[in-house]
Amino acid sequence: MQRRIVPDVVRDQTIFFVSAETTAREVARTLADNKIAAVVVMEGGLLKGIITERDVTARLVAKGGDPDTVTARAIMTPDPDTLAPEDTAEDALRMMRLRGYRHLPVVDEEGVVAMVSIRDLYAVVTDQLERDMKTHESFIYGEQYGTS
């Protein structure tokens, strides 16, 4: 069975949004206070960008930017690739691997509905491997002892 991004991989998430004019310090505070690694940047109800911890490090800290004057617009990845809720975990993994992402916004016709991370997908893959191993063991041991 192919697991869909929503609700099989992520569900009941709180999505954290910032505006393009939010200061980098407030973005960092939002990430830290909520123990998250990415936020979406919204303007007028539309997804404009994504900011990850990596973006804060590479586009602000490493360049000596002032977190009180640099805005989200300056450090965000604009117009990010997205997934649809009905896309599969495999679709997400493929996109993340090919493009080097760790987080992807999930968008439907109403807007951003989730954020899927490589950690979320790792949990799905691990769960599937465990189930496959149990099925395999059951087949092997059942066959070996004539209980298949």
Side-chain angles (χ1 to χ4, degrees):
M1 175 178 110
Q2 291 288 330
R3 294 190 182 184
R4 296 178 337 160
I5 297 299
V6 176
D8 302 326
V9 177
V10 292
R11 66 180 145 307
D12 302 326
Q13 275 189 337
T14 300
I15 307 302
F16 292 90
F17 303 88
V18 298
S19 76
E21 300 312 314
T22 301
T23 66
R25 181 177 306 281
E26 189 57 35
V27 170
R29 196 172 288 131
T30 298
L31 295 170
D33 289 350
N34 296 289
K35 297 180 173 104
I36 56 174
V39 295
V40 291
V41 180
M42 303 290 290
E43 277 186 345
L46 300 173
L47 174 64
K48 292 298 179 179
I50 182 173
I51 300 173
T52 67
E53 293 169 317
R54 258 184 172 178
D55 295 326
V56 173
T57 301
R59 297 178 180 164
L60 177 71
V61 177
K63 293 184 177 181
D66 178 353
D68 293 315
T69 59
V70 172
T71 63
R73 183 182 317 282
I75 60 173
M76 73 181 185
T77 298
D79 303 315
D81 288 329
T82 62
L83 294 165
E86 61 274 3
D87 286 339
T88 65
E90 184 179 334
D91 296 330
L93 280 169
R94 185 178 304 111
M95 186 182 291
M96 287 178 169
R97 187 176 138 268
L98 290 173
R99 299 184 181 155
Y101 303 144
R102 293 182 186 184
H103 299 85
L104 283 168
V106 181
V107 178
D108 68 9
E109 60 279 345
E110 310 242 337
V112 179
V113 296
M115 177 81 73
V116 66
S117 72
I118 196 71
R119 183 178 291 172
D120 299 325
L121 295 166
Y122 175 78
V124 169
V125 169
T126 301
D127 181 56
Q128 186 63 49
L129 284 172
E130 287 173 1
R131 281 191 277 149
D132 290 350
M133 288 175 67
K134 284 179 184 175
T135 299
H136 181 71
E137 286 173 1
S138 182
F139 175 76
I140 295 296
Y141 292 123
E143 192 173 276
Q144 180 178 356
Y145 296 106
T147 60
S148 56

